[in-house]
């Protein structure tokens, strides 16, 4: 209740007429005393009148009641009325507090509603983004389904092609078996003719049988052999090419890249001299020994044991047939960047330039490489059938070549071995055979390692794998002794 309310409440309490001036001379209100005009006589009663000026402000002190005659009950302000007024004020205050609390709560709700609207907008944006991602994923899956269908079609085509090739392979196997039977029949016929010729001309005794098999138990036996194989070397149609090789050595190859063109410098007396001249890249080089009639091509290996090695023989894939006559082995044959034989005359001319050593590097079908090195190596001239001269052995392949030391070279048409028959005939190659020996590096290249044959005609090294394990790769290299 404001100050005006208190002013109107106090007016009926303080507006009174008193008979005596002393009765209301005290009080908290400001009063001014007025005397009435002297109209009556002296016996007339004296009267006082007061005018109160009530300030319009909140009354904080006690309310004074008049001491005069009691007012009527309807105009009397009691303590109960004041208590009721106070209770009313307290109730209004509580309502105001309640309304204030409600306003605060409503304000919080409004803020929460704003946040919820903002989150709703963000959620709508996120839902839209997820929808676009889902649509993109659906499109991608559809594309993947199309690619999968195309891949399945390609797999079906490849399967059909594989079946066709399998059928073709079986046909080729049948044809190969037939050709093998023909070859066996021809071998029997050739053997019979040879025996007949020997009987007619009497130059040799009839052969009682093949050479004895190698009985050496190798110290190193390759394990996990893939399979037994009878697949001999490929390219039978090119077994005896007429124009392969020349009098200067192996014929040129079809490899005309820049690397080989740069390496075809020289000529050098050997690969060691080429390395000393600054040519340290392995490849094809032109060599001319001191007593050589004309230059020759050879492969120089500079990537092992300080380099400078001249490769005189290499086997790697069966692409060249090594079952040849004396003239071919004398001049050389094969492809310099693949399989080749440098030629007995060329090897002889290289070896007589100085003191050379021999390195034989072999690789089995488990891709393990072993080697056999001999401290000295050279050949005697053709008048001695290129007799082999070797030094002492060292290496990890086993010593299978020393038993051939001092033996002459034997081919199909020139037999110089110690066996009653021709070892080149049984071992299908040319070599320094004994009777017939512990190694045959110029034999038949069999695929898979272990092979089945009546005679030990594979590329074997008896001390590594035995006589019926054909090596995957072989290299024979010479280098001047340091």
């Amino acid at each position: 209740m404001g100050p005006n309310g208190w002013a109107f409440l106090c007016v009926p309490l303080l507006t009174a007429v008193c008979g005596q001036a002393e009765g209301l001379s005290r009080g908290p209100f400001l009063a001014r005393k007025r005397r009435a005009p002297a109209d009556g006589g002296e016996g007339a009663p004296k009267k006082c009148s007061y005018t109160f000026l009530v300030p319009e402000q909140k009354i904080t002190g006690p309310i004074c009641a008049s001491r005069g005659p009691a007012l009527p009950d309807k105009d009397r302000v009691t303590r109960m009325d004041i208590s009721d007024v106070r209770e009313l004020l307290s109730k209004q205050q509580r309502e105001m507090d309640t309304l204030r609390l409600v306003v605060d709560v409503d304000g919080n709700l409004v803020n929460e509603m704003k946040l919820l609207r903002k989150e709703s907008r963000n959620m709508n944006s996120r839902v839209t983004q997820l929808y676009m991602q889902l649509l993109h994923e659906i499109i991608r899956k559809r594309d993947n389904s199309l690619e999968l269908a195309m891949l399945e079609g390609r797999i079906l085509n490849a399967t059909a092609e594989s079946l066709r090739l399998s059928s073709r392979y079986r046909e080729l196997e049948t044809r190969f078996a037939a050709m093998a039977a023909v070859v066996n029949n021809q071998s029997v016929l050739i053997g019979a003719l040879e025996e007949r010729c020997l009987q007619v001309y009497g130059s040799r005794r009839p052969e009682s049988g093949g050479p004895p098999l190698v009985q050496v138990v190798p110290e190193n036996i390759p394990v996990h052999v893939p399979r037994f194989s009878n697949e001999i070397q490929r390219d039978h149609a090119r077994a005896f090419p007429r124009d392969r090789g020349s009098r200067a050595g192996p014929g040129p190859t079809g490899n005309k890249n820049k690397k080989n063109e740069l390496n075809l410098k020289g000529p050098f007396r050997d690969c060691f001299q080429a390395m000393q001249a600054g040519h340290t890249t392995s490849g094809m080089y032109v060599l001319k020994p001191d007593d050589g009639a004309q230059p020759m091509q050879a492969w120089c290996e500079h990537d092992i044991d300080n380099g400078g090695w001249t490769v005189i023989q290499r086997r790697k894939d069966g692409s060249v047939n090594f079952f040849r006559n004396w003239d071919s082995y004398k001049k050389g044959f094969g492809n310099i960047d693949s399989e080749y034989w440098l030629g007995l005359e060329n090897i002889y001319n290289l070896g007589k330039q100085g003191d050379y050593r021999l390195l034989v590097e072999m690789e089995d079908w488990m891709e393990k490489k072993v080697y056999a090195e001999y401290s000295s190596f050279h050949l005697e001239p053709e008048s001695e059938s290129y007799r082999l001269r070797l030094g002492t052995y060292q290496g990890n392949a086993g010593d299978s070549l020393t038993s051939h030391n001092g033996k002459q070279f034997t081919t199909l048409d020139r037999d110089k071995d110690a066996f009653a028959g021709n070892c080149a005939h049984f071992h299908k190659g040319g070599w320094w055979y004994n009777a017939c020996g512990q190694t045959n590096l110029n034999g038949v290249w069999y695929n898979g390692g272990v092979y089945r044959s009546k005679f030990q005609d594979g590329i074997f090294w008896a001390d590594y794998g035995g006589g019926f394990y054909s090596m995957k790769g072989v290299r024979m290299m010479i280098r001047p002794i340091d």
Side-chain angles (χ1 to χ4, degrees):
M1 184 180 294
N4 295 332
W6 287 104
F8 288 110
L9 180 60
C10 292
V11 170
L13 296 176
L14 301 179
T15 307
V17 178
C18 58
Q20 295 179 358
E22 300 83 12
L24 299 174
S25 61
R26 301 182 188 137
F29 304 97
L30 177 62
R32 185 176 60 183
K33 180 179 174 183
R34 293 182 181 178
R35 292 184 180 274
D39 295 335
E42 294 182 3
K46 296 179 181 181
K47 298 180 179 179
C48 297
S49 63
Y50 295 89
T51 303
F52 295 92
L53 300 176
V54 181
E56 295 182 0
Q57 62 183 0
K58 183 177 181 180
I59 299 175
T60 60
I63 300 176
C64 298
S66 175
R67 295 183 180 180
L71 296 175
D73 293 338
K74 64 179 181 179
D75 297 330
R76 183 180 297 172
V77 177
T78 63
R79 294 180 180 276
M80 186 177 297
D81 295 333
I82 295 174
S83 177
D84 293 338
V85 171
R86 288 178 177 175
E87 184 178 357
L88 180 61
L89 290 175
S90 298
K91 183 178 180 181
Q92 291 178 352
Q93 185 66 30
R94 287 194 301 271
E95 291 178 353
M96 291 177 63
D97 293 339
T98 303
L99 290 174
R100 189 177 295 109
L101 181 60
V102 171
V103 169
D104 292 339
V105 172
D106 291 343
N108 292 333
L109 290 176
V110 170
N111 292 332
E112 291 180 0
M113 286 296 296
K114 291 181 179 179
L115 292 176
L116 288 175
R117 288 179 179 177
K118 185 176 180 180
E119 290 180 359
S120 177
R121 289 193 295 270
N122 294 336
M123 187 62 68
N124 290 335
S125 176
R126 179 59 178 167
V127 168
T128 302
Q129 183 180 2
L130 291 176
Y131 174 76
M132 296 302 295
Q133 291 180 356
L134 179 61
L135 184 61
H136 178 72
E137 188 69 18
I138 292 173
I139 295 175
R140 189 178 67 84
K141 287 185 178 298
R142 186 189 63 182
D143 295 340
N144 289 339
S145 299
L146 294 176
E147 292 179 359
L148 181 61
M150 295 175 61
L151 182 60
E152 288 178 351
R154 292 173 61 185
I155 291 175
L156 291 176
N157 294 335
T159 303
E161 183 67 16
S162 177
L163 293 175
R164 188 184 67 81
L165 292 177
S166 298
S167 176
R168 178 63 176 167
Y169 178 75
R170 287 192 294 270
E171 294 177 0
L172 291 177
E173 279 187 335
T174 304
R175 293 178 59 186
F176 178 79
M179 293 178 64
V182 173
V183 170
N184 291 333
N185 294 334
Q186 294 294 330
S187 299
V188 173
L189 180 60
I190 291 173
L193 291 175
E194 288 180 346
E195 183 179 358
R196 179 62 177 170
C197 289
L198 291 175
Q199 291 177 353
V200 171
Y201 293 99
S203 60
R204 299 289 295 270
R205 290 188 299 107
E207 297 179 4
S208 58
L213 300 179
V214 174
Q215 302 297 328
V216 175
V217 178
E219 297 180 0
N220 301 308
I221 300 177
V223 296
H224 302 296
V225 177
R227 60 187 174 88
F228 288 92
S229 173
N230 259 354
E231 298 178 11
I232 62 175
Q233 59 195 33
R234 300 184 297 270
D235 297 338
H236 293 282
R238 298 183 299 163
F240 297 92
R242 296 181 180 178
D243 299 331
R244 178 164 298 172
S246 63
R247 287 176 295 176
T253 66
N255 191 351
K256 297 297 183 180
N257 53 29
K258 184 177 181 180
K259 174 181 175 182
N260 286 338
E261 290 177 359
L262 292 176
N263 288 342
L264 290 177
K265 294 183 178 180
F268 305 100
R269 64 196 305 265
D270 56 17
C271 292
F272 185 76
Q273 188 184 51
M275 184 187 69
Q276 290 179 330
H279 302 281
T280 58
T281 302
S282 298
M284 189 187 310
Y285 288 80
V286 175
L287 307 180
K288 186 179 184 301
D290 294 338
D291 294 335
Q294 52 187 342
M296 63 180 173
Q297 294 179 8
W299 186 273
C300 292
E301 182 58 53
H302 298 304
D303 296 331
I304 60 172
D305 195 13
N306 299 323
W309 293 93
T310 303
V311 180
I312 62 175
Q313 184 256 26
R314 178 163 56 189
R315 308 296 302 274
K316 58 183 294 186
D317 54 12
S319 59
V320 175
N321 194 331
F322 276 64
F323 191 25
R324 294 172 178 262
N325 57 18
W326 179 268
D327 189 57
S328 294
Y329 270 99
K330 176 183 176 180
K331 296 177 180 178
F333 55 87
N335 301 316
I336 300 301
D337 55 354
S338 180
E339 293 192 342
Y340 75 95
W341 173 260
L342 187 59
L344 291 169
E345 186 67 22
N346 294 326
I347 298 173
Y348 164 71
N349 289 329
L350 284 171
K352 71 179 183 179
Q353 296 182 119
D355 296 330
Y356 282 78
R357 55 192 174 111
L358 172 68
L359 175 63
V360 181
E361 182 188 65
M362 292 169 284
E363 180 182 4
D364 62 23
W365 288 88
M366 301 303 296
E367 298 183 355
K368 177 183 177 181
K369 292 184 178 181
V370 294
Y371 75 97
E373 185 175 353
Y374 295 87
S375 59
S376 64
F377 168 85
H378 72 273
L379 301 181
E380 294 185 1
E382 185 179 8
S383 59
E384 293 292 327
S385 298
Y386 300 108
R387 191 184 304 274
L388 176 65
R389 296 298 181 184
L390 290 175
T392 58
Y393 157 83
Q394 67 173 356
N396 61 355
D399 184 10
S400 294
L401 192 58
T402 298
S403 62
H404 297 258
N405 188 23
K407 305 304 176 184
Q408 295 179 326
F409 201 86
T410 294
T411 60
L412 181 65
D413 57 339
R414 186 172 296 189
D415 186 3
K416 297 294 181 177
D417 56 55
F419 181 60
N422 190 331
C423 292
H425 167 71
F426 296 104
H427 289 293
K428 304 297 187 296
W431 194 249
W432 296 277
Y433 292 113
N434 190 347
C436 284
Q438 302 296 307
T439 182
N440 185 40
L441 299 185
N442 287 338
V444 179
W445 187 88
Y446 284 102
N447 185 13
V450 178
Y451 63 95
R452 294 188 181 96
S453 177
K454 183 178 179 181
F455 306 108
Q456 293 172 331
D457 54 2
I459 304 173
F460 69 87
W461 187 269
D463 286 273
Y464 187 84
F468 284 103
Y469 185 89
S470 184
M471 307 299 292
K472 179 180 180 181
V474 177
R475 289 194 301 179
M476 298 177 63
M477 301 171 281
I478 60 174
R479 182 182 189 269
I481 298 176
D482 298 333

